[in-house]
């Protein structure tokens, strides 16, 4: 072998060696990333709260802020309009809508009226609800970290809660479902913990007290057995307001005409329009806000194809109310026997019965599954927990 050939062979071996080292370095980097993403760090809830609650809360709050600005001072459901009529004395109280919610909303409206306008009260309510929901989401994320969920799943849950339209779209809605979710979120965390610890966590008096209070608030804030009134698209229009004209309390309006029934009904309608005028500001927004909201709503209701009015799969109720809960339930059922965990199945029951209550509803509206939207990450991680939870 001459010197030139030997040099070529040596260079070839050196090139392959460098390439092998490069591939090995890349493999180690990918392996390290995957190892970090799949790592589980079970801990106590107090430790998790100290380390992660504030970062989670701030991340979610900052992500929600643009939607809060766009919808300021918040939005109302058709049910909320009826509750305003009750709290303002234009309508007798009744129990089709939970009285707890009516009284809670009324408290904020009365505070706002004392400060100059019911819209001030609605703005205060919107901020309060958004903060409480963000705190509930942060608590949920701290809890799934506590029970040893892999990092990638915690991160996915954070992105979902911070940016998904089905979650973010509910935070500024003044309605019974969003208020219900304020209590349902921490209750779900305690319920899952009670199941995973086989009830031992409830032996602690503060936890048991919190569980009872949250359970009470969850029940009185939403009565799913009642007939659900279909949401009207024509709020603040005469055709909608007219249906409330016959429910005015005596003395709530001044009858000034001795004319026929149509004239009297027109006077009643005018009285209601006058008293609801302070709430019209919820839709009185600058044009740029209306344009952005209209574009978002168009995206949420279509699949992006021009001229095609099909549902957007990313905002489909079926995805979050049927397919994801079904996949999580099946994952729990089909796990190997050594990993099958009865308490986790019991915890999943809360989600299962909530979903069944939605299927029992006569209509399906976006607001109804809000508690499911917000707590979904909590139940999705259950198939990834293979041990009993240590008490809080």
């Amino acid at each position: 072998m001459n010197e030139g050939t030997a040099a070529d062979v040596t260079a070839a071996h050196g090139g392959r060696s460098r390439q092998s080292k490069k591939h090995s370095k890349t493999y180690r980097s990918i392996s390290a990333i995957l190892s970090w993403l799949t790592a589980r760090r079970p801990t106590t809830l107090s430790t998790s709260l100290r380390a992660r609650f504030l970062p989670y809360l701030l991340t979610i709050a900052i992500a929600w802020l643009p939607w809060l600005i766009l919808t300021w001072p918040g939005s109302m459901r058709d049910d909320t309009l009826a509750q305003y009529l009750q709290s303002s004395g234009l309508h007798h109280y009744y129990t089709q809508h939970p009285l707890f919610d009516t009284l809670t909303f009324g408290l904020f409206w009365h505070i706002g009226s004392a400060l100059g306008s019911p819209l001030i009260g609605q703005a205060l309510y919107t901020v309060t609800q958004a903060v409480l929901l963000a705190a509930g989401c942060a608590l949920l994320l701290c809890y799934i970290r506590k029970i040893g969920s892999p990092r990638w799943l915690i991160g996915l849950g954070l992105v979902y809660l911070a940016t998904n339209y089905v979650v973010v779209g509910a935070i500024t809605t003044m309605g019974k479902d969003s208020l219900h979710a304020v209590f349902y979120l921490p209750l779900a965390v305690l319920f899952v913990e009670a199941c995973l610890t086989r009830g031992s966590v409830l032996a602690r008096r503060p936890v048991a007290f919190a569980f009872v209070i949250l359970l009470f608030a969850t029940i009185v804030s939403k009565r799913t057995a009642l007939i659900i009134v279909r949401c009207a698209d024509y709020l603040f229009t005469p055709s909608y307001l007219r249906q409330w004209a016959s429910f005015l309390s005596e003395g709530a309006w001044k009858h000034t005409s001795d004319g026929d029934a149509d004239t009297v009904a027109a006077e009643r309608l005018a009285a209601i329009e006058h008293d609801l005028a302070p709430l019209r500001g919820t839709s009185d927004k600058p044009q740029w806000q209306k344009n952005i909201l209209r574009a978002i709503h168009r995206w949420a209701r279509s699949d992006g194809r021009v001229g095609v009015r099909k549902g957007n799969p990313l905002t489909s109720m079926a995805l979050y109310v049927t397919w994801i809960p079904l996949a999580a339930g099946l994952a729990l059922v089909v796990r190997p026997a050594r990993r099958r965990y009865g308490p986790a199945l019991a915890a999943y029951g809360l989600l299962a019965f909530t979903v069944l209550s939605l299927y029992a509803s006569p209509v399906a509206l976006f607001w109804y599954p809000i508690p499911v939207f917000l707590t979904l990450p909590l139940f999705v991680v259950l198939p990834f927990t293979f041990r009993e939870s240590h008490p809080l």
Side-chain angles (χ1 to χ4, degrees):
M1 180 180 296
N2 57 39
E3 295 181 1
T5 303
D8 292 340
V9 171
T10 301
H13 279 293
R16 284 194 295 270
S17 177
R18 286 192 297 272
Q19 187 176 15
S20 177
K21 290 180 180 179
K22 182 178 179 180
H23 285 228
S24 178
K25 185 177 180 180
T26 302
Y27 173 79
R28 287 196 301 270
S29 298
I30 295 175
S31 179
I33 293 173
L34 291 176
S35 178
W36 186 86
L37 289 174
T38 57
R40 303 168 185 270
R41 294 287 187 270
T43 182
T44 63
L45 183 59
S46 58
T47 300
S48 183
L49 288 172
R50 285 194 299 269
R52 292 290 186 271
F53 181 81
L54 191 57
Y56 289 153
L57 177 63
L58 292 177
T59 300
I60 292 170
I62 292 171
W64 288 0
L65 187 59
W67 183 254
L68 190 67
I69 294 172
L70 283 174
T71 58
W72 186 260
S75 57
M76 292 193 306
R77 285 194 51 191
D78 60 322
D79 290 353
T80 317
L81 179 60
Q83 291 169 299
Y84 175 79
L85 293 174
Q86 295 174 58
S87 66
S88 62
L90 292 173
H91 191 297
H92 295 298
Y93 282 99
Y94 63 98
T95 58
Q96 180 179 345
H97 313 303
L99 282 176
F100 176 83
D101 299 354
T102 304
L103 295 173
T104 300
F105 300 153
L107 174 63
F108 282 90
W109 284 321
H110 291 318
I111 291 174
S113 296
L115 296 175
S117 169
L119 287 180
I120 297 176
Q122 182 166 342
L124 291 173
Y125 175 85
T126 299
V127 172
T128 302
Q129 177 174 270
V131 170
L132 291 176
L133 288 176
C137 291
L139 171 66
L140 183 152
L141 292 169
C142 288
Y143 179 75
I144 64 175
R145 180 175 181 266
K146 176 256 183 190
I147 60 177
S149 301
R151 281 197 179 104
W152 69 268
L153 200 50
I154 300 172
L156 189 61
L158 176 59
V159 172
Y160 166 82
L161 291 171
T163 64
N164 196 300
Y165 176 80
V166 300
V167 172
V168 181
I171 62 172
T172 59
T173 302
M174 193 179 201
K176 61 186 177 186
D177 299 286
S178 294
L179 178 59
H180 173 70
V182 169
F183 308 110
Y184 185 89
L185 254 172
L187 176 70
V189 171
L190 286 182
F191 181 85
V192 171
E193 177 69 3
C195 291
L196 297 187
T197 60
R198 301 179 185 270
S200 63
V201 70
L202 296 179
R204 300 181 180 182
R205 289 187 179 180
V207 177
F209 180 77
F211 185 81
V212 171
I213 293 298
L214 289 171
L215 187 62
F216 170 80
T218 300
I219 292 172
V220 298
S221 61
K222 184 178 179 181
R223 295 172 57 185
T224 56
L226 293 175
I227 299 174
I228 300 173
V229 179
R230 184 167 59 91
C231 179
D233 292 332
Y234 45 96
L235 290 178
F236 298 121
T237 63
S239 58
Y240 180 81
L241 297 176
R242 190 172 291 113
Q243 66 181 302
W244 297 104
S246 61
F247 293 101
L248 277 172
S249 312
E250 290 297 330
W253 64 286
K254 294 181 179 180
H255 178 47
T256 60
S257 174
D258 295 326
D260 56 17
D262 290 339
T263 303
V264 175
E267 289 183 358
R268 285 174 174 263
L269 178 60
I272 285 196
E273 288 180 328
H274 174 269
D275 286 292
L276 290 178
L279 296 181
R280 293 179 184 270
T282 56
S283 58
D284 187 17
K285 295 179 173 60
Q287 191 59 44
W288 67 269
Q289 282 183 277
K290 293 180 179 179
N291 292 339
I292 295 176
L293 287 171
R294 191 177 297 113
I296 293 173
H297 291 154
R298 258 199 315 266
W299 171 82
R301 296 168 184 169
S302 69
D303 62 359
R305 291 180 289 173
V306 178
V308 179
R309 295 292 299 171
K310 290 186 177 180
N312 187 333
L314 294 177
T315 59
S316 168
M317 286 175 59
L319 176 63
Y320 305 102
V321 178
T322 301
W323 300 118
I324 293 179
L326 184 61
L330 290 175
L332 282 171
V333 171
V334 303
R335 286 196 303 183
R338 70 180 186 280
R339 290 183 171 181
R340 194 167 299 154
Y341 188 26
L345 284 171
Y348 174 82
L350 179 62
L351 175 65
F353 283 113
T354 303
V355 169
L356 287 176
S357 72
L358 296 173
Y359 273 97
S361 301
V363 291
L365 297 178
F366 171 81
W367 300 289
Y368 298 165
I370 286 174
V372 173
F373 296 153
L374 285 160
T375 56
L376 205 53
L378 175 64
F379 298 101
V380 168
V381 304
L382 291 178
F384 297 87
T385 58
F386 305 130
R387 67 181 68 182
E388 293 189 14
S389 175
H390 297 290
L392 298 172

